[in-house]
Amino acid sequence: MNKFRKLTKSIEIGSASSIDGDQSAFQLLVISLKEDTTTLSRQFVRNTVAGSIFVPRALRWILLNLSGLVIETPKIREDCKFNNSFVTIGKQTSINRACYFEGSGTISIGERSNIGPGCYFLTSTHKRQLGIGLDHPFSEPIVVGDRVWIGARSTILPGTVIGDDCVVGAGSVVKGKLEPGKAYGGVPAVELKSKSASSKFQTKKN
């Protein structure tokens, strides 16, 4: 708040005095405007233009890559929000409509995976200290392997690693490391055991 007051005061009187180390109020304004303009232009291309239902998937693919993302598949449906500049999506992977990619941590999705509609990939988090509250936010990467199937409206939390050939049930909240080739589901997501295998075990036991 004090920095903001100094900034506005220096603008009013036309001062170029330093309020943040070596940077003057005018320099801070220029830097801020450049950053905001870059962010707004990228968000406009990625989300407003490319996210439109009226944009063909092939054109959406081109626009997303031009905005700085690394997308190797044209199978990206409408209404997806890329509020993250570090997203990589592999070949033949399908991203259904209205998925959300957040934060500044890397999000890497492998090849031939299927992401259901309305899935959230969140890389931002906080550490909480008793008596203090939340620290400044920081990011942790998300890694999704090859041939993964994530059900609709699942939430993938910061630092999650999903192994190859995993299945994640719809509506799951996923955190941690998921072993390759296994099925997970729930809030929080846990490994789902096969009912057939369980019934066979019960029969032998009896």
Side-chain angles (χ1 to χ4, degrees), residues 91-144:
K91 297 176 181 177
Q92 300 183 43
T93 285
S94 176
I95 309 294
N96 214 319
R97 68 185 308 276
C99 289
Y100 179 66
F101 301 84
E102 178 272 347
S104 57
T106 58
I107 300 173
S108 175
I109 301 176
E111 299 181 359
R112 290 178 285 169
S113 291
N114 290 277
I115 311 301
C119 289
Y120 276 49
F121 294 81
L122 309 177
T123 67
S124 297
T125 187
H126 301 262
K127 286 185 178 180
R128 182 173 178 272
Q129 297 185 36
L130 292 177
I132 298 177
L134 298 178
D135 284 345
H136 292 293
F138 63 96
S139 296
E140 293 182 344
I142 292 173
V143 179
V144 178

mmCIF file of all heavy atoms in Angstrom, residues 91-144:
data_model
loop_
_atom_site.group_PDB
_atom_site.id
_atom_site.type_symbol
_atom_site.label_atom_id
_atom_site.label_comp_id
_atom_site.label_asym_id
_atom_site.label_seq_id
_atom_site.Cartn_x
_atom_site.Cartn_y
_atom_site.Cartn_z
ATOM 1 N N LYS A 91 1.295 -35.833 -29.105
ATOM 2 C CA LYS A 91 0.601 -36.243 -30.323
ATOM 3 C C LYS A 91 -0.587 -37.153 -30.019
ATOM 4 O O LYS A 91 -0.533 -37.993 -29.138
ATOM 5 C CB LYS A 91 1.570 -36.966 -31.254
ATOM 6 C CG LYS A 91 2.720 -36.096 -31.751
ATOM 7 C CD LYS A 91 3.684 -36.899 -32.591
ATOM 8 C CE LYS A 91 4.860 -36.036 -33.073
ATOM 9 N NZ LYS A 91 5.842 -36.832 -33.845
ATOM 10 N N GLN A 92 -1.659 -36.959 -30.783
ATOM 11 C CA GLN A 92 -2.873 -37.772 -30.743
ATOM 12 C C GLN A 92 -3.615 -37.716 -29.408
ATOM 13 O O GLN A 92 -4.521 -38.510 -29.161
ATOM 14 C CB GLN A 92 -2.556 -39.232 -31.104
ATOM 15 C CG GLN A 92 -1.974 -39.402 -32.484
ATOM 16 C CD GLN A 92 -1.738 -40.862 -32.834
ATOM 17 O OE1 GLN A 92 -2.572 -41.717 -32.567
ATOM 18 N NE2 GLN A 92 -0.589 -41.150 -33.428
ATOM 19 N N THR A 93 -3.236 -36.800 -28.551
ATOM 20 C CA THR A 93 -3.966 -36.616 -27.298
ATOM 21 C C THR A 93 -5.215 -35.773 -27.559
ATOM 22 O O THR A 93 -5.200 -34.849 -28.370
ATOM 23 C CB THR A 93 -3.061 -35.950 -26.245
ATOM 24 O OG1 THR A 93 -2.139 -36.917 -25.767
ATOM 25 C CG2 THR A 93 -3.863 -35.423 -25.066
ATOM 26 N N SER A 94 -6.281 -36.093 -26.852
ATOM 27 C CA SER A 94 -7.549 -35.389 -27.017
ATOM 28 C C SER A 94 -7.899 -34.630 -25.733
ATOM 29 O O SER A 94 -7.927 -35.217 -24.650
ATOM 30 C CB SER A 94 -8.663 -36.393 -27.349
ATOM 31 O OG SER A 94 -9.916 -35.742 -27.434
ATOM 32 N N ILE A 95 -8.158 -33.330 -25.871
ATOM 33 C CA ILE A 95 -8.577 -32.489 -24.751
ATOM 34 C C ILE A 95 -10.021 -32.069 -24.990
ATOM 35 O O ILE A 95 -10.315 -31.329 -25.934
ATOM 36 C CB ILE A 95 -7.685 -31.235 -24.608
ATOM 37 C CG1 ILE A 95 -6.190 -31.605 -24.593
ATOM 38 C CG2 ILE A 95 -8.081 -30.458 -23.363
ATOM 39 C CD1 ILE A 95 -5.758 -32.397 -23.391
ATOM 40 N N ASN A 96 -10.931 -32.554 -24.151
ATOM 41 C CA ASN A 96 -12.338 -32.237 -24.341
ATOM 42 C C ASN A 96 -12.633 -30.797 -23.916
ATOM 43 O O ASN A 96 -11.766 -30.097 -23.388
ATOM 44 C CB ASN A 96 -13.209 -33.227 -23.565
ATOM 45 C CG ASN A 96 -14.514 -33.524 -24.283
ATOM 46 O OD1 ASN A 96 -15.151 -32.635 -24.837
ATOM 47 N ND2 ASN A 96 -14.915 -34.789 -24.286
ATOM 48 N N ARG A 97 -13.869 -30.371 -24.099
ATOM 49 C CA ARG A 97 -14.231 -28.962 -23.923
ATOM 50 C C ARG A 97 -14.123 -28.504 -22.466
ATOM 51 O O ARG A 97 -14.239 -29.298 -21.536
ATOM 52 C CB ARG A 97 -15.641 -28.711 -24.451
ATOM 53 C CG ARG A 97 -16.739 -29.376 -23.645
ATOM 54 C CD ARG A 97 -18.092 -29.173 -24.306
ATOM 55 N NE ARG A 97 -18.349 -27.785 -24.596
ATOM 56 C CZ ARG A 97 -18.842 -26.922 -23.718
ATOM 57 N NH1 ARG A 97 -19.097 -27.325 -22.478
ATOM 58 N NH2 ARG A 97 -19.061 -25.676 -24.063
ATOM 59 N N ALA A 98 -13.880 -27.189 -22.312
ATOM 60 C CA ALA A 98 -13.932 -26.494 -21.025
ATOM 61 C C ALA A 98 -12.914 -26.991 -20.005
ATOM 62 O O ALA A 98 -13.184 -26.963 -18.805
ATOM 63 C CB ALA A 98 -15.347 -26.561 -20.439
ATOM 64 N N CYS A 99 -11.755 -27.427 -20.453
ATOM 65 C CA CYS A 99 -10.678 -27.752 -19.509
ATOM 66 C C CYS A 99 -9.917 -26.478 -19.150
ATOM 67 O O CYS A 99 -9.893 -25.514 -19.919
ATOM 68 C CB CYS A 99 -9.733 -28.789 -20.109
ATOM 69 S SG CYS A 99 -10.466 -30.436 -20.236
ATOM 70 N N TYR A 100 -9.277 -26.497 -17.978
ATOM 71 C CA TYR A 100 -8.639 -25.290 -17.450
ATOM 72 C C TYR A 100 -7.209 -25.602 -17.027
ATOM 73 O O TYR A 100 -6.972 -26.535 -16.261
ATOM 74 C CB TYR A 100 -9.442 -24.766 -16.258
ATOM 75 C CG TYR A 100 -8.864 -23.533 -15.609
ATOM 76 C CD1 TYR A 100 -8.804 -22.326 -16.287
ATOM 77 C CD2 TYR A 100 -8.403 -23.568 -14.295
ATOM 78 C CE1 TYR A 100 -8.291 -21.186 -15.686
ATOM 79 C CE2 TYR A 100 -7.892 -22.436 -13.684
ATOM 80 C CZ TYR A 100 -7.840 -21.250 -14.385
ATOM 81 O OH TYR A 100 -7.327 -20.132 -13.786
ATOM 82 N N PHE A 101 -6.259 -24.801 -17.546
ATOM 83 C CA PHE A 101 -4.843 -24.982 -17.249
ATOM 84 C C PHE A 101 -4.353 -23.722 -16.543
ATOM 85 O O PHE A 101 -4.341 -22.646 -17.122
ATOM 86 C CB PHE A 101 -4.064 -25.226 -18.542
ATOM 87 C CG PHE A 101 -4.529 -26.437 -19.302
ATOM 88 C CD1 PHE A 101 -5.606 -26.347 -20.173
ATOM 89 C CD2 PHE A 101 -3.907 -27.654 -19.137
ATOM 90 C CE1 PHE A 101 -6.057 -27.465 -20.871
ATOM 91 C CE2 PHE A 101 -4.337 -28.773 -19.830
ATOM 92 C CZ PHE A 101 -5.415 -28.681 -20.695
ATOM 93 N N GLU A 102 -3.896 -23.859 -15.289
ATOM 94 C CA GLU A 102 -3.654 -22.703 -14.430
ATOM 95 C C GLU A 102 -2.208 -22.618 -13.960
ATOM 96 O O GLU A 102 -1.506 -23.618 -13.857
ATOM 97 C CB GLU A 102 -4.590 -22.812 -13.201
ATOM 98 C CG GLU A 102 -4.434 -21.705 -12.172
ATOM 99 C CD GLU A 102 -3.371 -22.001 -11.126
ATOM 100 O OE1 GLU A 102 -2.893 -23.151 -11.017
ATOM 101 O OE2 GLU A 102 -2.996 -21.053 -10.403
ATOM 102 N N GLY A 103 -1.787 -21.378 -13.635
ATOM 103 C CA GLY A 103 -0.534 -21.157 -12.931
ATOM 104 C C GLY A 103 0.674 -20.974 -13.822
ATOM 105 O O GLY A 103 0.582 -20.785 -15.033
ATOM 106 N N SER A 104 1.859 -21.051 -13.185
ATOM 107 C CA SER A 104 3.118 -20.878 -13.911
ATOM 108 C C SER A 104 4.009 -22.109 -13.822
ATOM 109 O O SER A 104 5.161 -22.071 -14.241
ATOM 110 C CB SER A 104 3.870 -19.655 -13.362
ATOM 111 O OG SER A 104 4.104 -19.798 -11.974
ATOM 112 N N GLY A 105 3.502 -23.195 -13.271
ATOM 113 C CA GLY A 105 4.240 -24.450 -13.274
ATOM 114 C C GLY A 105 4.026 -25.183 -14.580
ATOM 115 O O GLY A 105 2.995 -25.005 -15.243
ATOM 116 N N THR A 106 4.978 -26.006 -14.987
ATOM 117 C CA THR A 106 4.844 -26.735 -16.245
ATOM 118 C C THR A 106 3.727 -27.777 -16.145
ATOM 119 O O THR A 106 3.556 -28.435 -15.126
ATOM 120 C CB THR A 106 6.153 -27.431 -16.630
ATOM 121 O OG1 THR A 106 6.553 -28.326 -15.570
ATOM 122 C CG2 THR A 106 7.254 -26.418 -16.866
ATOM 123 N N ILE A 107 2.982 -27.914 -17.237
ATOM 124 C CA ILE A 107 1.955 -28.951 -17.370
ATOM 125 C C ILE A 107 2.286 -29.750 -18.620
ATOM 126 O O ILE A 107 2.217 -29.228 -19.735
ATOM 127 C CB ILE A 107 0.544 -28.353 -17.474
ATOM 128 C CG1 ILE A 107 0.223 -27.522 -16.228
ATOM 129 C CG2 ILE A 107 -0.492 -29.460 -17.663
ATOM 130 C CD1 ILE A 107 -1.091 -26.770 -16.325
ATOM 131 N N SER A 108 2.669 -31.004 -18.424
ATOM 132 C CA SER A 108 3.072 -31.855 -19.543
ATOM 133 C C SER A 108 2.130 -33.044 -19.650
ATOM 134 O O SER A 108 1.989 -33.822 -18.702
ATOM 135 C CB SER A 108 4.516 -32.344 -19.333
ATOM 136 O OG SER A 108 4.890 -33.265 -20.339
ATOM 137 N N ILE A 109 1.478 -33.180 -20.800
ATOM 138 C CA ILE A 109 0.579 -34.302 -21.065
ATOM 139 C C ILE A 109 1.142 -35.086 -22.244
ATOM 140 O O ILE A 109 1.469 -34.518 -23.289
ATOM 141 C CB ILE A 109 -0.846 -33.812 -21.375
ATOM 142 C CG1 ILE A 109 -1.382 -33.001 -20.185
ATOM 143 C CG2 ILE A 109 -1.773 -34.983 -21.684
ATOM 144 C CD1 ILE A 109 -2.746 -32.390 -20.420
ATOM 145 N N GLY A 110 1.262 -36.397 -22.078
ATOM 146 C CA GLY A 110 1.915 -37.241 -23.072
ATOM 147 C C GLY A 110 1.072 -37.500 -24.312
ATOM 148 O O GLY A 110 0.106 -36.789 -24.599
ATOM 149 N N GLU A 111 1.431 -38.554 -25.036
ATOM 150 C CA GLU A 111 0.788 -38.885 -26.300
ATOM 151 C C GLU A 111 -0.388 -39.847 -26.092
ATOM 152 O O GLU A 111 -0.407 -40.638 -25.162
ATOM 153 C CB GLU A 111 1.807 -39.513 -27.250
ATOM 154 C CG GLU A 111 2.973 -38.592 -27.584
ATOM 155 C CD GLU A 111 3.963 -39.236 -28.546
ATOM 156 O OE1 GLU A 111 3.743 -40.415 -28.928
ATOM 157 O OE2 GLU A 111 4.938 -38.567 -28.921
ATOM 158 N N ARG A 112 -1.378 -39.725 -27.003
ATOM 159 C CA ARG A 112 -2.535 -40.639 -27.053
ATOM 160 C C ARG A 112 -3.293 -40.717 -25.732
ATOM 161 O O ARG A 112 -3.824 -41.765 -25.365
ATOM 162 C CB ARG A 112 -2.100 -42.031 -27.506
ATOM 163 C CG ARG A 112 -1.684 -42.098 -28.983
ATOM 164 C CD ARG A 112 -1.207 -43.483 -29.367
ATOM 165 N NE ARG A 112 0.126 -43.742 -28.841
ATOM 166 C CZ ARG A 112 0.703 -44.931 -28.834
ATOM 167 N NH1 ARG A 112 0.053 -45.993 -29.266
ATOM 168 N NH2 ARG A 112 1.928 -45.067 -28.350
ATOM 169 N N SER A 113 -3.341 -39.625 -25.016
ATOM 170 C CA SER A 113 -4.127 -39.559 -23.785
ATOM 171 C C SER A 113 -5.479 -38.910 -24.066
ATOM 172 O O SER A 113 -5.662 -38.220 -25.075
ATOM 173 C CB SER A 113 -3.374 -38.764 -22.707
ATOM 174 O OG SER A 113 -2.241 -39.473 -22.266
ATOM 175 N N ASN A 114 -6.425 -39.135 -23.169
ATOM 176 C CA ASN A 114 -7.767 -38.571 -23.315
ATOM 177 C C ASN A 114 -8.158 -37.843 -22.032
ATOM 178 O O ASN A 114 -8.185 -38.449 -20.956
ATOM 179 C CB ASN A 114 -8.785 -39.677 -23.608
ATOM 180 C CG ASN A 114 -8.608 -40.271 -24.989
ATOM 181 O OD1 ASN A 114 -9.098 -39.738 -25.979
ATOM 182 N ND2 ASN A 114 -7.888 -41.379 -25.062
ATOM 183 N N ILE A 115 -8.435 -36.551 -22.168
ATOM 184 C CA ILE A 115 -8.798 -35.724 -21.028
ATOM 185 C C ILE A 115 -10.270 -35.351 -21.170
ATOM 186 O O ILE A 115 -10.673 -34.719 -22.151
ATOM 187 C CB ILE A 115 -7.942 -34.445 -20.958
ATOM 188 C CG1 ILE A 115 -6.436 -34.782 -21.111
ATOM 189 C CG2 ILE A 115 -8.225 -33.705 -19.661
ATOM 190 C CD1 ILE A 115 -5.892 -35.723 -20.067
ATOM 191 N N GLY A 116 -11.092 -35.747 -20.192
ATOM 192 C CA GLY A 116 -12.524 -35.502 -20.246
ATOM 193 C C GLY A 116 -12.873 -34.037 -20.092
ATOM 194 O O GLY A 116 -12.033 -33.208 -19.718
ATOM 195 N N PRO A 117 -14.142 -33.692 -20.346
ATOM 196 C CA PRO A 117 -14.562 -32.290 -20.268
ATOM 197 C C PRO A 117 -14.500 -31.740 -18.846
ATOM 198 O O PRO A 117 -14.744 -32.455 -17.873
ATOM 199 C CB PRO A 117 -16.012 -32.328 -20.774
ATOM 200 C CG PRO A 117 -16.455 -33.737 -20.550
ATOM 201 C CD PRO A 117 -15.244 -34.592 -20.738
ATOM 202 N N GLY A 118 -14.165 -30.454 -18.754
ATOM 203 C CA GLY A 118 -14.200 -29.761 -17.474
ATOM 204 C C GLY A 118 -13.113 -30.142 -16.490
ATOM 205 O O GLY A 118 -13.269 -29.909 -15.290
ATOM 206 N N CYS A 119 -11.992 -30.685 -16.964
ATOM 207 C CA CYS A 119 -10.898 -31.044 -16.058
ATOM 208 C C CYS A 119 -10.055 -29.811 -15.727
ATOM 209 O O CYS A 119 -9.843 -28.949 -16.579
ATOM 210 C CB CYS A 119 -10.017 -32.129 -16.670
ATOM 211 S SG CYS A 119 -10.818 -33.748 -16.734
ATOM 212 N N TYR A 120 -9.561 -29.761 -14.489
ATOM 213 C CA TYR A 120 -8.736 -28.651 -14.021
ATOM 214 C C TYR A 120 -7.324 -29.145 -13.735
ATOM 215 O O TYR A 120 -7.139 -30.162 -13.062
ATOM 216 C CB TYR A 120 -9.315 -28.042 -12.734
ATOM 217 C CG TYR A 120 -10.399 -27.012 -12.968
ATOM 218 C CD1 TYR A 120 -11.460 -27.275 -13.828
ATOM 219 C CD2 TYR A 120 -10.360 -25.780 -12.327
ATOM 220 C CE1 TYR A 120 -12.445 -26.329 -14.034
ATOM 221 C CE2 TYR A 120 -11.356 -24.835 -12.527
ATOM 222 C CZ TYR A 120 -12.393 -25.110 -13.391
ATOM 223 O OH TYR A 120 -13.367 -24.175 -13.604
ATOM 224 N N PHE A 121 -6.349 -28.392 -14.251
ATOM 225 C CA PHE A 121 -4.938 -28.669 -13.975
ATOM 226 C C PHE A 121 -4.382 -27.454 -13.238
ATOM 227 O O PHE A 121 -4.181 -26.387 -13.826
ATOM 228 C CB PHE A 121 -4.170 -28.914 -15.276
ATOM 229 C CG PHE A 121 -4.597 -30.158 -16.000
ATOM 230 C CD1 PHE A 121 -5.733 -30.155 -16.815
ATOM 231 C CD2 PHE A 121 -3.884 -31.344 -15.868
ATOM 232 C CE1 PHE A 121 -6.142 -31.301 -17.478
ATOM 233 C CE2 PHE A 121 -4.288 -32.493 -16.529
ATOM 234 C CZ PHE A 121 -5.415 -32.468 -17.328
ATOM 235 N N LEU A 122 -4.145 -27.596 -11.934
ATOM 236 C CA LEU A 122 -3.759 -26.478 -11.074
ATOM 237 C C LEU A 122 -2.318 -26.646 -10.603
ATOM 238 O O LEU A 122 -1.995 -27.635 -9.945
ATOM 239 C CB LEU A 122 -4.689 -26.400 -9.869
ATOM 240 C CG LEU A 122 -6.195 -26.415 -10.172
ATOM 241 C CD1 LEU A 122 -7.001 -26.411 -8.889
ATOM 242 C CD2 LEU A 122 -6.584 -25.239 -11.064
ATOM 243 N N THR A 123 -1.464 -25.683 -10.923
ATOM 244 C CA THR A 123 -0.057 -25.776 -10.521
ATOM 245 C C THR A 123 0.299 -24.838 -9.374
ATOM 246 O O THR A 123 1.377 -24.951 -8.798
ATOM 247 C CB THR A 123 0.880 -25.464 -11.706
ATOM 248 O OG1 THR A 123 0.737 -24.093 -12.083
ATOM 249 C CG2 THR A 123 0.569 -26.352 -12.913
ATOM 250 N N SER A 124 -0.581 -23.905 -9.029
ATOM 251 C CA SER A 124 -0.283 -22.943 -7.967
ATOM 252 C C SER A 124 -0.723 -23.469 -6.607
ATOM 253 O O SER A 124 -1.780 -24.092 -6.483
ATOM 254 C CB SER A 124 -0.997 -21.609 -8.236
ATOM 255 O OG SER A 124 -0.525 -21.029 -9.428
ATOM 256 N N THR A 125 0.077 -23.195 -5.583
ATOM 257 C CA THR A 125 -0.256 -23.624 -4.241
ATOM 258 C C THR A 125 0.376 -22.682 -3.222
ATOM 259 O O THR A 125 1.102 -21.751 -3.589
ATOM 260 C CB THR A 125 0.203 -25.078 -3.994
ATOM 261 O OG1 THR A 125 -0.279 -25.515 -2.717
ATOM 262 C CG2 THR A 125 1.720 -25.208 -4.050
ATOM 263 N N HIS A 126 0.099 -22.910 -1.956
ATOM 264 C CA HIS A 126 0.644 -22.107 -0.858
ATOM 265 C C HIS A 126 1.113 -23.035 0.259
ATOM 266 O O HIS A 126 0.621 -24.150 0.396
ATOM 267 C CB HIS A 126 -0.418 -21.174 -0.255
ATOM 268 C CG HIS A 126 -1.022 -20.209 -1.213
ATOM 269 N ND1 HIS A 126 -0.609 -18.903 -1.316
ATOM 270 C CD2 HIS A 126 -2.025 -20.354 -2.109
ATOM 271 C CE1 HIS A 126 -1.331 -18.281 -2.233
ATOM 272 N NE2 HIS A 126 -2.207 -19.135 -2.721
ATOM 273 N N LYS A 127 2.033 -22.531 1.056
ATOM 274 C CA LYS A 127 2.341 -23.187 2.325
ATOM 275 C C LYS A 127 1.636 -22.401 3.423
ATOM 276 O O LYS A 127 1.592 -21.180 3.397
ATOM 277 C CB LYS A 127 3.851 -23.222 2.568
ATOM 278 C CG LYS A 127 4.575 -24.229 1.696
ATOM 279 C CD LYS A 127 6.049 -24.318 2.051
ATOM 280 C CE LYS A 127 6.752 -25.368 1.189
ATOM 281 N NZ LYS A 127 8.189 -25.465 1.509
ATOM 282 N N ARG A 128 1.092 -23.133 4.379
ATOM 283 C CA ARG A 128 0.326 -22.500 5.446
ATOM 284 C C ARG A 128 1.081 -22.613 6.765
ATOM 285 O O ARG A 128 1.543 -23.691 7.140
ATOM 286 C CB ARG A 128 -1.042 -23.167 5.584
ATOM 287 C CG ARG A 128 -1.940 -22.548 6.643
ATOM 288 C CD ARG A 128 -3.324 -23.167 6.597
ATOM 289 N NE ARG A 128 -4.193 -22.621 7.629
ATOM 290 C CZ ARG A 128 -4.284 -23.095 8.861
ATOM 291 N NH1 ARG A 128 -3.542 -24.150 9.221
ATOM 292 N NH2 ARG A 128 -5.098 -22.554 9.745
ATOM 293 N N GLN A 129 1.225 -21.490 7.444
ATOM 294 C CA GLN A 129 1.885 -21.465 8.740
ATOM 295 C C GLN A 129 0.889 -21.053 9.806
ATOM 296 O O GLN A 129 0.181 -20.053 9.656
ATOM 297 C CB GLN A 129 3.066 -20.494 8.723
ATOM 298 C CG GLN A 129 4.162 -20.879 7.740
ATOM 299 C CD GLN A 129 5.355 -19.966 7.853
ATOM 300 O OE1 GLN A 129 5.710 -19.512 8.943
ATOM 301 N NE2 GLN A 129 5.998 -19.671 6.732
ATOM 302 N N LEU A 130 0.853 -21.801 10.898
ATOM 303 C CA LEU A 130 -0.056 -21.493 11.992
ATOM 304 C C LEU A 130 0.256 -20.117 12.573
ATOM 305 O O LEU A 130 1.414 -19.783 12.831
ATOM 306 C CB LEU A 130 0.050 -22.563 13.080
ATOM 307 C CG LEU A 130 -0.469 -23.958 12.714
ATOM 308 C CD1 LEU A 130 -0.222 -24.932 13.856
ATOM 309 C CD2 LEU A 130 -1.949 -23.914 12.368
ATOM 310 N N GLY A 131 -0.771 -19.331 12.764
ATOM 311 C CA GLY A 131 -0.596 -17.999 13.311
ATOM 312 C C GLY A 131 -0.210 -16.951 12.295
ATOM 313 O O GLY A 131 -0.187 -15.763 12.601
ATOM 314 N N ILE A 132 0.129 -17.394 11.085
ATOM 315 C CA ILE A 132 0.537 -16.461 10.029
ATOM 316 C C ILE A 132 -0.428 -16.508 8.852
ATOM 317 O O ILE A 132 -0.819 -15.490 8.312
ATOM 318 C CB ILE A 132 1.978 -16.766 9.551
ATOM 319 C CG1 ILE A 132 2.964 -16.586 10.706
ATOM 320 C CG2 ILE A 132 2.356 -15.876 8.365
ATOM 321 C CD1 ILE A 132 4.385 -16.934 10.353
ATOM 322 N N GLY A 133 -0.829 -17.716 8.487
ATOM 323 C CA GLY A 133 -1.714 -17.882 7.334
ATOM 324 C C GLY A 133 -0.964 -18.415 6.138
ATOM 325 O O GLY A 133 0.004 -19.177 6.279
ATOM 326 N N LEU A 134 -1.364 -17.993 4.963
ATOM 327 C CA LEU A 134 -0.776 -18.492 3.728
ATOM 328 C C LEU A 134 0.450 -17.691 3.320
ATOM 329 O O LEU A 134 0.437 -16.457 3.356
ATOM 330 C CB LEU A 134 -1.801 -18.457 2.594
ATOM 331 C CG LEU A 134 -3.055 -19.322 2.768
ATOM 332 C CD1 LEU A 134 -3.977 -19.139 1.582
ATOM 333 C CD2 LEU A 134 -2.685 -20.787 2.934
ATOM 334 N N ASP A 135 1.512 -18.410 2.925
ATOM 335 C CA ASP A 135 2.694 -17.760 2.356
ATOM 336 C C ASP A 135 2.403 -17.337 0.923
ATOM 337 O O ASP A 135 1.335 -17.601 0.371
ATOM 338 C CB ASP A 135 3.881 -18.730 2.380
ATOM 339 C CG ASP A 135 4.469 -18.879 3.773
ATOM 340 O OD1 ASP A 135 4.148 -18.048 4.625
ATOM 341 O OD2 ASP A 135 5.232 -19.832 3.998
ATOM 342 N N HIS A 136 3.403 -16.728 0.291
ATOM 343 C CA HIS A 136 3.279 -16.357 -1.109
ATOM 344 C C HIS A 136 3.084 -17.603 -1.962
ATOM 345 O O HIS A 136 3.643 -18.664 -1.665
ATOM 346 C CB HIS A 136 4.525 -15.598 -1.577
ATOM 347 C CG HIS A 136 4.673 -14.252 -0.950
ATOM 348 N ND1 HIS A 136 3.800 -13.216 -1.203
ATOM 349 C CD2 HIS A 136 5.585 -13.761 -0.061
ATOM 350 C CE1 HIS A 136 4.170 -12.149 -0.520
ATOM 351 N NE2 HIS A 136 5.240 -12.450 0.184
ATOM 352 N N PRO A 137 2.290 -17.508 -3.019
ATOM 353 C CA PRO A 137 2.050 -18.688 -3.867
ATOM 354 C C PRO A 137 3.312 -19.122 -4.603
ATOM 355 O O PRO A 137 4.180 -18.312 -4.917
ATOM 356 C CB PRO A 137 0.983 -18.198 -4.853
ATOM 357 C CG PRO A 137 1.142 -16.715 -4.882
ATOM 358 C CD PRO A 137 1.581 -16.317 -3.503
ATOM 359 N N PHE A 138 3.406 -20.403 -4.860
ATOM 360 C CA PHE A 138 4.468 -20.942 -5.693
ATOM 361 C C PHE A 138 3.874 -22.062 -6.544
ATOM 362 O O PHE A 138 2.724 -22.473 -6.332
ATOM 363 C CB PHE A 138 5.633 -21.464 -4.841
ATOM 364 C CG PHE A 138 5.272 -22.618 -3.939
ATOM 365 C CD1 PHE A 138 5.508 -23.933 -4.330
ATOM 366 C CD2 PHE A 138 4.715 -22.392 -2.686
ATOM 367 C CE1 PHE A 138 5.179 -24.993 -3.497
ATOM 368 C CE2 PHE A 138 4.380 -23.443 -1.846
ATOM 369 C CZ PHE A 138 4.616 -24.749 -2.254
ATOM 370 N N SER A 139 4.627 -22.515 -7.519
ATOM 371 C CA SER A 139 4.093 -23.499 -8.468
ATOM 372 C C SER A 139 4.850 -24.813 -8.400
ATOM 373 O O SER A 139 6.044 -24.841 -8.107
ATOM 374 C CB SER A 139 4.171 -22.943 -9.903
ATOM 375 O OG SER A 139 3.349 -21.805 -10.041
ATOM 376 N N GLU A 140 4.128 -25.897 -8.683
ATOM 377 C CA GLU A 140 4.717 -27.225 -8.808
ATOM 378 C C GLU A 140 4.237 -27.832 -10.123
ATOM 379 O O GLU A 140 3.081 -27.626 -10.528
ATOM 380 C CB GLU A 140 4.306 -28.114 -7.637
ATOM 381 C CG GLU A 140 4.883 -27.660 -6.298
ATOM 382 C CD GLU A 140 4.494 -28.587 -5.159
ATOM 383 O OE1 GLU A 140 3.555 -29.385 -5.349
ATOM 384 O OE2 GLU A 140 5.120 -28.502 -4.087
ATOM 385 N N PRO A 141 5.099 -28.585 -10.814
ATOM 386 C CA PRO A 141 4.733 -29.108 -12.130
ATOM 387 C C PRO A 141 3.715 -30.245 -12.057
ATOM 388 O O PRO A 141 3.565 -30.913 -11.028
ATOM 389 C CB PRO A 141 6.073 -29.615 -12.683
ATOM 390 C CG PRO A 141 6.861 -29.967 -11.457
ATOM 391 C CD PRO A 141 6.475 -28.943 -10.420
ATOM 392 N N ILE A 142 3.030 -30.453 -13.161
ATOM 393 C CA ILE A 142 2.127 -31.591 -13.340
ATOM 394 C C ILE A 142 2.603 -32.382 -14.544
ATOM 395 O O ILE A 142 2.877 -31.815 -15.605
ATOM 396 C CB ILE A 142 0.677 -31.123 -13.560
ATOM 397 C CG1 ILE A 142 0.118 -30.494 -12.275
ATOM 398 C CG2 ILE A 142 -0.216 -32.278 -14.020
ATOM 399 C CD1 ILE A 142 -1.246 -29.864 -12.456
ATOM 400 N N VAL A 143 2.698 -33.705 -14.374
ATOM 401 C CA VAL A 143 3.128 -34.581 -15.469
ATOM 402 C C VAL A 143 2.082 -35.674 -15.668
ATOM 403 O O VAL A 143 1.741 -36.403 -14.723
ATOM 404 C CB VAL A 143 4.499 -35.232 -15.184
ATOM 405 C CG1 VAL A 143 4.900 -36.167 -16.329
ATOM 406 C CG2 VAL A 143 5.568 -34.162 -14.971
ATOM 407 N N VAL A 144 1.570 -35.775 -16.881
ATOM 408 C CA VAL A 144 0.614 -36.824 -17.248
ATOM 409 C C VAL A 144 1.267 -37.659 -18.351
ATOM 410 O O VAL A 144 1.730 -37.114 -19.357
ATOM 411 C CB VAL A 144 -0.721 -36.223 -17.743
ATOM 412 C CG1 VAL A 144 -1.680 -37.331 -18.174
ATOM 413 C CG2 VAL A 144 -1.343 -35.361 -16.651
#
